[in-house]
Amino acid sequence: MDINLEKEAGLVEAVLFLENDPLTLDALAASTQLSADVVTEALEILKEKYTQASSGVELSVITGGYVLAPKKEYWENLKEKYGNKNEGKLSRSALEVLAIIAYKQPITRAEIEALRGVSPDNMIRLLIERQLIKEVGRRDTPGRPVEFGTTKEFLKFFRLNSIADLPQLDEKEEERFVLAR
């Protein structure tokens, strides 16, 4: 297509600027009243625009949707003032439980306790309140214990598109997540 899509790209950019949450291709098409093909091309134009060194923002894909976000190299300097106050820092214990759940999901409370050596009850409660984890089902074993997994809020919090984007663990780190049977 040889059509000049600057105005369309500008419209898509304005919608992304005004939205707080990531928008899927279909949601962008509906908001802009443009076809999905035109929105796709507009996103390519924006992606190229935001890869320039002079740009402080980037077009990110988070939880399957597009969002304008500060470039990662700038976010450390900005998050204290501009980060969601509800996204306050997590304690080391909360991060440890969250990491176990993220890498081993679905996982039960007893399995988390076996890995940590201490009860995870308070951390699980905190992480559920912060909407970073949720109950994802029940294990088909005696007592039918609740299984936990991460949420879309977890992906947003860590700016991930999917759980597959978590950093890979090396062998030593992987050993820490193995349950003694």
Side-chain angles (χ1 to χ4, degrees), residues 5-39:
L5 295 173
E6 287 183 24
K7 284 189 177 188
E8 290 81 356
L11 177 60
V12 171
E13 181 179 37
V15 169
L16 289 171
F17 177 77
L18 294 170
E19 288 290 334
N20 291 327
D21 292 324
L23 294 175
T24 63
L25 185 63
D26 291 339
L28 277 168
S31 294
T32 59
Q33 298 180 348
L34 299 170
S35 73
D37 291 340
V38 171
V39 171

Side-chain angles (χ1 to χ4, degrees), residues 8-144:
E8 290 81 356
L11 177 60
V12 171
E13 181 179 37
V15 169
L16 289 171
F17 177 77
L18 294 170
E19 288 290 334
N20 291 327
D21 292 324
L23 294 175
T24 63
L25 185 63
D26 291 339
L28 277 168
S31 294
T32 59
Q33 298 180 348
L34 299 170
S35 73
D37 291 340
V38 171
V39 171
T40 300
E41 290 189 43
L43 288 168
E44 287 302 316
I45 291 169
L46 293 176
K47 208 178 292 180
E48 188 175 316
K49 173 182 178 180
Y50 291 124
T51 57
Q52 304 296 320
S54 62
S55 177
V57 297
E58 63 187 359
L59 182 64
S60 298
V61 179
I62 299 175
T63 67
Y66 295 91
V67 66
L68 291 179
K71 285 187 175 174
K72 288 181 177 136
E73 64 256 31
Y74 301 130
W75 185 238
E76 282 303 311
N77 297 333
L78 301 172
K79 71 180 177 183
E80 187 171 319
K81 180 170 179 147
Y82 296 103
N84 184 342
K85 301 303 179 204
N86 201 18
E87 285 182 2
K89 290 184 179 180
L90 293 171
S91 69
R92 185 168 182 232
S93 297
L95 280 173
E96 185 176 284
V97 170
L98 187 56
I100 290 169
I101 293 169
Y103 281 101
K104 298 297 284 185
Q105 62 186 312
I107 188 168
T108 66
R109 185 180 311 260
E111 290 170 330
I112 297 167
E113 187 169 345
L115 285 169
R116 289 189 71 224
V118 295
S119 172
D121 292 347
N122 290 334
M123 294 304 108
I124 287 174
R125 195 173 310 115
L126 170 77
L127 295 170
I128 288 173
E129 284 174 12
R130 298 275 300 272
Q131 299 177 346
L132 297 172
I133 65 168
K134 65 181 179 181
E135 294 181 12
V136 295
R138 291 195 171 266
R139 180 84 34 98
D140 195 16
T141 58
R144 302 215 4 102

